[in-house]
Amino acid sequence: MVDHARRSIERGSRSFALASKLFDPVTRERAWLLYAWCRACDDLADGQDMGHGMRAVADPQAAVAAIRERTVLALAGRETGDPAFDGFEVVARECAIPAALADDLIQGFALDADGWRPRGEADLYRSCYHVAGSVGVMMALVMGVASDDTATLDRACDLGSAFQLANIARDISEDDAAGRCYLPVEWLVEMDIPPGQHMKPPYRPRLTVLARRLAKTAEAYEASARVGAGALPFRSAWAVLAAAGIYGDIARTVAARGDHAWDHRVVVGKRAKLAWVARAAVQALRPAPQSARAGLWTRPSNSL
């Protein structure tokens, strides 16, 4: 299962694969197992292969039902025949990941299956929690954060939300091609962009305004997560800060490219990633910055 999980993260995300190498061996393997389950769920929901080649799923509700069924079986200690789900049972048992958190992630896939779209900012942040913030909380448990350490878990959730906001900004064009849009309806109305027209050339400057808004919000959540990293052991903080910097560069690059942000997919080059690895090591050795979470959306209190 561990070998399958390692191959999964290496194929599915070079950024996360690089950051995971900074963990201590036990945490690293557990992180791989968690990633492999998330990747398998995402692929089933989106008709992808290791995060690539998204295509329409004939029956999205059935795909979500399959994800839920396999996850329930795995958490009950029954073999599913799928190493990603069987591996999740191992990490969930060893790290006391509650079934409610797994269900929170699955609810994110259910939103997509139902064709859901965010109306306002609160809806946007709620969806970010379901598809990424919940994973951040699970990763914190994998790194040894206590289940009653609400402050640190909130910061871990913030990092997942920062990642998802960066993804949304980067993938606006790809999502549009797949018939999806994660920009709040109220934002599009504010910018006077007609429904379904946001990728049309006449509206590109207005879309750029919204993408930069996403990037700025992602930066606020990233900053909050950096505070939380101070509660982690050195190697875990190193990995988290490296991932935060690498993914933060995605949002920052989208903002910097302006109207040309979607001409080519934004990627962070190997040299920039290695620079973040070095920078994160220094940051992890320093006292963590302190700041309040004022104004940031907070995960549901019943998620644990």
Side-chain angles (χ1 to χ4, degrees):
M1 286 183 290
V2 172
D3 284 343
H4 171 273
R6 175 182 53 78
R7 291 192 298 271
S8 176
I9 196 169
E10 288 175 349
R11 288 187 59 197
S13 175
R14 292 179 183 177
S15 296
F16 288 147
L18 175 62
S20 73
K21 293 178 182 179
L22 308 180
F23 286 123
D24 66 84
V26 172
T27 304
R28 182 188 310 136
E29 292 188 355
R30 287 171 171 170
W32 288 347
L33 292 173
L34 177 59
Y35 176 90
W37 171 70
C38 295
R39 177 77 276 149
C41 292
D42 205 22
D43 285 352
L44 283 170
D46 287 343
Q48 301 178 117
D49 177 23
M50 293 296 170
H52 307 291
M54 184 167 61
R55 62 184 185 275
V57 177
D59 189 342
Q61 284 82 9
V64 173
I67 292 169
R68 195 181 303 279
E69 180 181 5
R70 292 183 199 181
T71 301
V72 169
L73 282 174
L75 292 179
R78 299 170 60 184
E79 290 190 11
T80 67
D82 186 324
F85 287 83
D86 293 338
F88 180 59
E89 185 277 331
V90 173
V91 69
R93 171 168 39 82
E94 291 180 350
C95 301
I97 297 175
L101 268 178
D103 190 60
D104 281 348
L105 176 63
I106 296 171
Q107 286 184 44
F109 299 124
L111 291 174
D112 275 339
D114 292 338
W116 176 89
R117 286 189 57 186
R119 179 161 187 81
E121 283 193 43
D123 293 332
L124 170 65
Y125 303 142
R126 181 168 65 91
S127 69
C128 285
Y129 165 72
H130 281 295
V131 302
S134 58
V135 179
V137 177
M138 286 188 267
M139 267 302 306
L141 297 176
V142 166
M143 290 183 281
V145 176
S147 60
D148 60 354
D149 186 352
T150 302
T152 303
L153 294 178
D154 284 345
R155 303 281 187 172
C157 182
D158 289 342
L159 185 59
S161 294
F163 289 168
Q164 183 61 11
L165 289 164
N167 281 339
I168 292 171
R170 178 193 63 192
D171 297 339
I172 290 173
S173 180
E174 294 177 30
D175 289 332
D176 180 65
R180 296 179 179 177
C181 180
Y182 298 104
L183 297 168
V185 173
E186 292 177 358
W187 286 12
L188 295 171
V189 171
E190 173 192 339
M191 299 303 297
D192 199 22
I193 300 176
Q197 302 297 303
H198 56 278
M199 283 306 302
K200 296 294 192 303
Y203 300 106
R204 185 61 60 90
R206 304 180 199 181
L207 182 63
T208 296
V209 172
L210 298 183
R212 285 175 171 162
R213 184 181 299 178
L214 286 169
K216 184 176 181 180
T217 306
E219 186 176 19
Y221 281 91
E222 178 190 340
S224 172
R226 289 178 174 279
V227 176
L232 302 174
F234 168 73
R235 293 195 64 169
S236 291
W238 186 14
V240 165
L241 292 170
I246 291 168
Y247 242 81
D249 274 358
I250 292 175
R252 287 184 280 272
T253 302
V254 169
R257 285 188 181 179
D259 294 357
H260 298 285
W262 307 280
D263 292 353
H264 305 284
R265 182 178 175 84
V266 170
V267 296
V268 179
K270 185 175 182 180
R271 181 177 297 180
K273 290 177 181 177
L274 292 175
W276 270 114
V277 168
R279 199 177 310 167
V282 175
Q283 293 171 342
L285 289 170
R286 293 174 176 170
Q290 296 300 312
S291 66
R293 293 187 63 258
L296 299 185
W297 187 91
T298 301
R299 65 193 172 95
S301 59
N302 61 351
S303 62
L304 279 180

